[in-house]
PDB file of all heavy atoms in Angstrom:
ATOM      1  N   ALA A  24     117.036  56.682  57.769  1.00 43.00           N
ATOM      2  CA  ALA A  24     117.545  57.734  58.695  1.00 43.00           C
ATOM      3  C   ALA A  24     116.864  59.070  58.460  1.00 43.00           C
ATOM      4  O   ALA A  24     117.477  60.077  58.237  1.00 43.00           O
ATOM      5  CB  ALA A  24     119.071  57.853  58.442  1.00 43.00           C
ATOM      6  N   ILE A  25     115.545  58.975  58.608  1.00 44.00           N
ATOM      7  CA  ILE A  25     114.827  60.342  58.395  1.00 44.00           C
ATOM      8  C   ILE A  25     114.782  60.978  59.700  1.00 44.00           C
ATOM      9  O   ILE A  25     114.764  60.332  60.782  1.00 44.00           O
ATOM     10  CB  ILE A  25     113.406  60.024  57.895  1.00 44.00           C
ATOM     11  CG1 ILE A  25     113.504  59.668  56.450  1.00 44.00           C
ATOM     12  CG2 ILE A  25     112.494  61.177  58.119  1.00 44.00           C
ATOM     13  CD1 ILE A  25     112.137  59.430  55.846  1.00 44.00           C
ATOM     14  N   VAL A  81      84.733  85.175  93.907  1.00 93.00           N
ATOM     15  CA  VAL A  81      84.988  84.847  92.503  1.00 93.00           C
ATOM     16  C   VAL A  81      85.155  83.322  92.430  1.00 93.00           C
ATOM     17  O   VAL A  81      85.655  82.675  93.341  1.00 93.00           O
ATOM     18  CB  VAL A  81      86.258  85.493  91.995  1.00 93.00           C
ATOM     19  CG1 VAL A  81      86.605  84.991  90.574  1.00 93.00           C
ATOM     20  CG2 VAL A  81      86.160  86.969  91.987  1.00 93.00           C
ATOM     21  N   GLY A 123      97.642  86.446  82.217  1.00 95.00           N
ATOM     22  CA  GLY A 123      97.912  87.460  81.263  1.00 95.00           C
ATOM     23  C   GLY A 123      99.184  87.144  80.450  1.00 95.00           C
ATOM     24  O   GLY A 123     100.175  86.697  80.959  1.00 95.00           O
ATOM     25  N   ALA A 160     119.248  84.713  92.211  1.00 98.00           N
ATOM     26  CA  ALA A 160     119.399  84.644  93.662  1.00 98.00           C
ATOM     27  C   ALA A 160     120.844  84.923  94.107  1.00 98.00           C
ATOM     28  O   ALA A 160     121.102  85.617  95.045  1.00 98.00           O
ATOM     29  CB  ALA A 160     118.989  83.322  94.134  1.00 98.00           C
ATOM     30  N   ARG A 169     127.551  92.510  99.851  1.00 98.00           N
ATOM     31  CA  ARG A 169     128.590  93.561  99.491  1.00 98.00           C
ATOM     32  C   ARG A 169     128.111  94.944 100.070  1.00 98.00           C
ATOM     33  O   ARG A 169     128.900  95.658 100.671  1.00 98.00           O
ATOM     34  CB  ARG A 169     128.750  93.615  97.976  1.00 98.00           C
ATOM     35  CG  ARG A 169     129.772  94.717  97.524  1.00 98.00           C
ATOM     36  CD  ARG A 169     129.807  94.827  96.072  1.00 98.00           C
ATOM     37  NE  ARG A 169     128.635  95.469  95.459  1.00 98.00           N
ATOM     38  CZ  ARG A 169     128.411  96.730  95.406  1.00 98.00           C
ATOM     39  NH1 ARG A 169     129.284  97.535  95.937  1.00 98.00           N
ATOM     40  NH2 ARG A 169     127.346  97.184  94.925  1.00 98.00           N
ATOM     41  N   LEU A 197     116.342 100.419 105.502  1.00 97.00           N
ATOM     42  CA  LEU A 197     115.403 101.609 105.639  1.00 97.00           C
ATOM     43  C   LEU A 197     114.032 101.146 105.178  1.00 97.00           C
ATOM     44  O   LEU A 197     113.891 100.554 104.129  1.00 97.00           O
ATOM     45  CB  LEU A 197     116.023 102.689 104.674  1.00 97.00           C
ATOM     46  CG  LEU A 197     115.520 104.086 104.799  1.00 97.00           C
ATOM     47  CD1 LEU A 197     115.870 104.602 106.157  1.00 97.00           C
ATOM     48  CD2 LEU A 197     116.208 104.978 103.709  1.00 97.00           C
ATOM     49  N   ASN A 226      81.058 102.989 113.862  1.00 96.00           N
ATOM     50  CA  ASN A 226      79.655 103.505 113.577  1.00 96.00           C
ATOM     51  C   ASN A 226      78.728 102.410 113.956  1.00 96.00           C
ATOM     52  O   ASN A 226      79.078 101.219 114.180  1.00 96.00           O
ATOM     53  CB  ASN A 226      79.558 103.810 112.091  1.00 96.00           C
ATOM     54  CG  ASN A 226      80.261 105.120 111.709  1.00 96.00           C
ATOM     55  OD1 ASN A 226      79.830 106.179 112.216  1.00 96.00           O
ATOM     56  ND2 ASN A 226      81.248 105.073 110.852  1.00 96.00           N
ATOM     57  N   THR A 259      69.780 100.888 100.458  1.00 97.00           N
ATOM     58  CA  THR A 259      68.706 100.411 101.333  1.00 97.00           C
ATOM     59  C   THR A 259      68.297 101.506 102.281  1.00 97.00           C
ATOM     60  O   THR A 259      67.104 101.709 102.587  1.00 97.00           O
ATOM     61  CB  THR A 259      69.153  99.126 102.089  1.00 97.00           C
ATOM     62  OG1 THR A 259      69.586  98.193 101.100  1.00 97.00           O
ATOM     63  CG2 THR A 259      67.967  98.521 102.832  1.00 97.00           C
ATOM     64  N   LYS A 336      97.567 122.831 127.248  1.00 96.00           N
ATOM     65  CA  LYS A 336      98.678 123.759 127.497  1.00 96.00           C
ATOM     66  C   LYS A 336      98.228 125.156 127.653  1.00 96.00           C
ATOM     67  O   LYS A 336      98.930 125.892 128.358  1.00 96.00           O
ATOM     68  CB  LYS A 336      99.628 123.674 126.193  1.00 96.00           C
ATOM     69  CG  LYS A 336     100.838 122.783 126.290  1.00 96.00           C
ATOM     70  CD  LYS A 336     102.037 123.342 125.520  1.00 96.00           C
ATOM     71  CE  LYS A 336     103.203 122.445 125.694  1.00 96.00           C
ATOM     72  NZ  LYS A 336     103.295 121.349 124.705  1.00 96.00           N
ATOM     73  N   LYS A 354      84.449 131.816 112.701  1.00 98.00           N
ATOM     74  CA  LYS A 354      84.365 130.809 111.634  1.00 98.00           C
ATOM     75  C   LYS A 354      83.035 130.731 111.068  1.00 98.00           C
ATOM     76  O   LYS A 354      82.287 129.706 111.164  1.00 98.00           O
ATOM     77  CB  LYS A 354      84.831 129.469 112.212  1.00 98.00           C
ATOM     78  CG  LYS A 354      86.225 129.505 112.930  1.00 98.00           C
ATOM     79  CD  LYS A 354      87.349 129.996 111.993  1.00 98.00           C
ATOM     80  CE  LYS A 354      88.661 130.150 112.855  1.00 98.00           C
ATOM     81  NZ  LYS A 354      88.673 131.267 113.781  1.00 98.00           N
ATOM     82  N   LEU A 386      79.503 111.051 108.691  1.00 98.00           N
ATOM     83  CA  LEU A 386      80.512 110.168 108.242  1.00 98.00           C
ATOM     84  C   LEU A 386      81.566 110.882 107.407  1.00 98.00           C
ATOM     85  O   LEU A 386      81.275 111.956 106.810  1.00 98.00           O
ATOM     86  CB  LEU A 386      79.919 109.092 107.307  1.00 98.00           C
ATOM     87  CG  LEU A 386      78.713 108.308 107.905  1.00 98.00           C
ATOM     88  CD1 LEU A 386      78.187 107.313 106.829  1.00 98.00           C
ATOM     89  CD2 LEU A 386      79.132 107.556 109.131  1.00 98.00           C
ATOM     90  N   TYR A 395      97.365 117.290 102.844  1.00 98.00           N
ATOM     91  CA  TYR A 395      98.359 117.716 103.837  1.00 98.00           C
ATOM     92  C   TYR A 395      97.658 118.528 104.903  1.00 98.00           C
ATOM     93  O   TYR A 395      96.575 119.199 104.682  1.00 98.00           O
ATOM     94  CB  TYR A 395      99.325 118.603 103.115  1.00 98.00           C
ATOM     95  CG  TYR A 395     100.173 117.943 101.985  1.00 98.00           C
ATOM     96  CD1 TYR A 395     100.149 118.371 100.672  1.00 98.00           C
ATOM     97  CD2 TYR A 395     100.897 116.698 102.219  1.00 98.00           C
ATOM     98  CE1 TYR A 395     100.782 117.735  99.654  1.00 98.00           C
ATOM     99  CE2 TYR A 395     101.562 116.116 101.297  1.00 98.00           C
ATOM    100  CZ  TYR A 395     101.571 116.603  99.988  1.00 98.00           C
ATOM    101  OH  TYR A 395     102.241 115.938  98.987  1.00 98.00           O
ATOM    102  N   LEU A 403      88.043 116.825 114.530  1.00 98.00           N
ATOM    103  CA  LEU A 403      86.963 117.822 114.266  1.00 98.00           C
ATOM    104  C   LEU A 403      85.669 117.160 113.898  1.00 98.00           C
ATOM    105  O   LEU A 403      84.534 117.533 114.302  1.00 98.00           O
ATOM    106  CB  LEU A 403      87.404 118.790 113.193  1.00 98.00           C
ATOM    107  CG  LEU A 403      86.451 119.914 112.829  1.00 98.00           C
ATOM    108  CD1 LEU A 403      86.051 120.704 114.031  1.00 98.00           C
ATOM    109  CD2 LEU A 403      87.150 120.882 111.845  1.00 98.00           C
ATOM    110  N   PRO A 423      84.499 107.452 110.713  1.00 95.00           N
ATOM    111  CA  PRO A 423      84.989 107.245 109.280  1.00 95.00           C
ATOM    112  C   PRO A 423      84.338 106.083 108.691  1.00 95.00           C
ATOM    113  O   PRO A 423      83.933 105.080 109.422  1.00 95.00           O
ATOM    114  CB  PRO A 423      86.489 106.984 109.555  1.00 95.00           C
ATOM    115  CG  PRO A 423      86.665 106.417 110.848  1.00 95.00           C
ATOM    116  CD  PRO A 423      85.457 106.891 111.692  1.00 95.00           C
ATOM    117  N   LEU A 467     118.522 110.048  98.153  1.00 97.00           N
ATOM    118  CA  LEU A 467     119.487 110.972  97.526  1.00 97.00           C
ATOM    119  C   LEU A 467     120.425 111.609  98.542  1.00 97.00           C
ATOM    120  O   LEU A 467     121.132 112.623  98.199  1.00 97.00           O
ATOM    121  CB  LEU A 467     118.757 111.973  96.684  1.00 97.00           C
ATOM    122  CG  LEU A 467     117.969 111.415  95.495  1.00 97.00           C
ATOM    123  CD1 LEU A 467     117.020 112.413  94.853  1.00 97.00           C
ATOM    124  CD2 LEU A 467     118.895 110.882  94.413  1.00 97.00           C
ATOM    125  N   TRP A 512     115.020  97.620  97.129  1.00 98.00           N
ATOM    126  CA  TRP A 512     114.364  96.332  96.831  1.00 98.00           C
ATOM    127  C   TRP A 512     112.885  96.569  96.931  1.00 98.00           C
ATOM    128  O   TRP A 512     112.265  96.829  97.976  1.00 98.00           O
ATOM    129  CB  TRP A 512     114.838  95.358  97.919  1.00 98.00           C
ATOM    130  CG  TRP A 512     114.446  93.896  97.606  1.00 98.00           C
ATOM    131  CD1 TRP A 512     113.486  93.400  96.734  1.00 98.00           C
ATOM    132  CD2 TRP A 512     114.929  92.793  98.289  1.00 98.00           C
ATOM    133  NE1 TRP A 512     113.447  92.118  96.769  1.00 98.00           N
ATOM    134  CE2 TRP A 512     114.294  91.638  97.745  1.00 98.00           C
ATOM    135  CE3 TRP A 512     115.872  92.587  99.286  1.00 98.00           C
ATOM    136  CZ2 TRP A 512     114.561  90.406  98.188  1.00 98.00           C
ATOM    137  CZ3 TRP A 512     116.194  91.304  99.705  1.00 98.00           C
ATOM    138  CH2 TRP A 512     115.488  90.154  99.185  1.00 98.00           C
ATOM    139  N   HIS A 532     115.871 106.014  91.983  1.00 98.00           N
ATOM    140  CA  HIS A 532     116.193 104.620  91.593  1.00 98.00           C
ATOM    141  C   HIS A 532     117.426 104.556  90.674  1.00 98.00           C
ATOM    142  O   HIS A 532     118.118 103.547  90.651  1.00 98.00           O
ATOM    143  CB  HIS A 532     114.983 104.067  90.777  1.00 98.00           C
ATOM    144  CG  HIS A 532     113.936 103.434  91.690  1.00 98.00           C
ATOM    145  ND1 HIS A 532     113.214 104.197  92.523  1.00 98.00           N
ATOM    146  CD2 HIS A 532     113.510 102.172  91.758  1.00 98.00           C
ATOM    147  CE1 HIS A 532     112.412 103.379  93.188  1.00 98.00           C
ATOM    148  NE2 HIS A 532     112.553 102.157  92.778  1.00 98.00           N
ATOM    149  N   ALA A 599     110.682  82.975  96.748  1.00 97.00           N
ATOM    150  CA  ALA A 599     111.744  83.805  96.258  1.00 97.00           C
ATOM    151  C   ALA A 599     112.722  84.139  97.375  1.00 97.00           C
ATOM    152  O   ALA A 599     113.902  84.109  97.242  1.00 97.00           O
ATOM    153  CB  ALA A 599     111.246  85.096  95.605  1.00 97.00           C
ATOM    154  N   GLY A 637      73.858  86.256 119.528  1.00 97.00           N
ATOM    155  CA  GLY A 637      74.744  87.379 119.395  1.00 97.00           C
ATOM    156  C   GLY A 637      75.878  87.497 120.459  1.00 97.00           C
ATOM    157  O   GLY A 637      76.617  88.420 120.556  1.00 97.00           O
ATOM    158  N   GLY A 704      89.559 105.757 124.632  1.00 94.00           N
ATOM    159  CA  GLY A 704      91.083 105.615 124.709  1.00 94.00           C
ATOM    160  C   GLY A 704      91.891 106.866 124.714  1.00 94.00           C
ATOM    161  O   GLY A 704      93.070 106.845 124.672  1.00 94.00           O
ATOM    162  N   ALA A 720     102.613 115.482 119.728  1.00 96.00           N
ATOM    163  CA  ALA A 720     103.191 114.460 118.885  1.00 96.00           C
ATOM    164  C   ALA A 720     103.583 115.048 117.474  1.00 96.00           C
ATOM    165  O   ALA A 720     104.646 114.817 116.970  1.00 96.00           O
ATOM    166  CB  ALA A 720     102.318 113.281 118.709  1.00 96.00           C
ATOM    167  N   LEU A 762      94.873 125.496  89.581  1.00 98.00           N
ATOM    168  CA  LEU A 762      93.840 124.499  89.790  1.00 98.00           C
ATOM    169  C   LEU A 762      94.224 123.529  90.855  1.00 98.00           C
ATOM    170  O   LEU A 762      95.421 123.279  91.067  1.00 98.00           O
ATOM    171  CB  LEU A 762      93.563 123.665  88.507  1.00 98.00           C
ATOM    172  CG  LEU A 762      93.091 124.453  87.285  1.00 98.00           C
ATOM    173  CD1 LEU A 762      93.130 123.589  86.046  1.00 98.00           C
ATOM    174  CD2 LEU A 762      91.746 125.062  87.468  1.00 98.00           C
ATOM    175  N   ARG A 772      90.922  99.875  88.560  1.00 95.00           N
ATOM    176  CA  ARG A 772      92.017  99.341  89.305  1.00 95.00           C
ATOM    177  C   ARG A 772      91.707  99.170  90.769  1.00 95.00           C
ATOM    178  O   ARG A 772      90.775  99.745  91.270  1.00 95.00           O
ATOM    179  CB  ARG A 772      93.276 100.329  89.204  1.00 95.00           C
ATOM    180  CG  ARG A 772      93.837 100.477  87.902  1.00 95.00           C
ATOM    181  CD  ARG A 772      94.998 101.534  88.021  1.00 95.00           C
ATOM    182  NE  ARG A 772      94.474 102.828  88.302  1.00 95.00           N
ATOM    183  CZ  ARG A 772      94.141 103.800  87.362  1.00 95.00           C
ATOM    184  NH1 ARG A 772      94.328 103.445  86.049  1.00 95.00           N
ATOM    185  NH2 ARG A 772      93.631 104.935  87.687  1.00 95.00           N
ATOM    186  N   GLY A 831      87.558 124.629  89.157  1.00 98.00           N
ATOM    187  CA  GLY A 831      88.743 124.932  90.020  1.00 98.00           C
ATOM    188  C   GLY A 831      89.446 123.602  90.405  1.00 98.00           C
ATOM    189  O   GLY A 831      90.509 123.683  90.911  1.00 98.00           O
ATOM    190  N   SER A 873      96.169 116.696  97.532  1.00 98.00           N
ATOM    191  CA  SER A 873      96.592 118.091  97.588  1.00 98.00           C
ATOM    192  C   SER A 873      97.652 118.347  96.582  1.00 98.00           C
ATOM    193  O   SER A 873      98.788 117.873  96.682  1.00 98.00           O
ATOM    194  CB  SER A 873      97.266 118.319  99.021  1.00 98.00           C
ATOM    195  OG  SER A 873      96.455 117.894 100.013  1.00 98.00           O
ATOM    196  N   ILE A 892      98.192 101.263  73.643  1.00 88.00           N
ATOM    197  CA  ILE A 892      99.723 101.397  73.741  1.00 88.00           C
ATOM    198  C   ILE A 892     100.435 100.097  73.650  1.00 88.00           C
ATOM    199  O   ILE A 892      99.958  99.124  74.183  1.00 88.00           O
ATOM    200  CB  ILE A 892     100.130 102.113  75.013  1.00 88.00           C
ATOM    201  CG1 ILE A 892      99.783 101.285  76.241  1.00 88.00           C
ATOM    202  CG2 ILE A 892      99.555 103.562  75.072  1.00 88.00           C
ATOM    203  CD1 ILE A 892     100.570 101.722  77.515  1.00 88.00           C
TER     204      ILE A 892
END
Side-chain angles (χ1 to χ4, degrees):
Chain A
I25 285 183
V81 172
R169 178 186 72 81
L197 195 60
N226 283 299
T259 306
K336 263 213 180 85
K354 309 301 177 290
L386 305 177
Y395 299 121
L403 184 51
L467 294 169
W512 190 345
H532 274 67
L762 300 170
R772 292 177 292 268
S873 310
I892 63 160

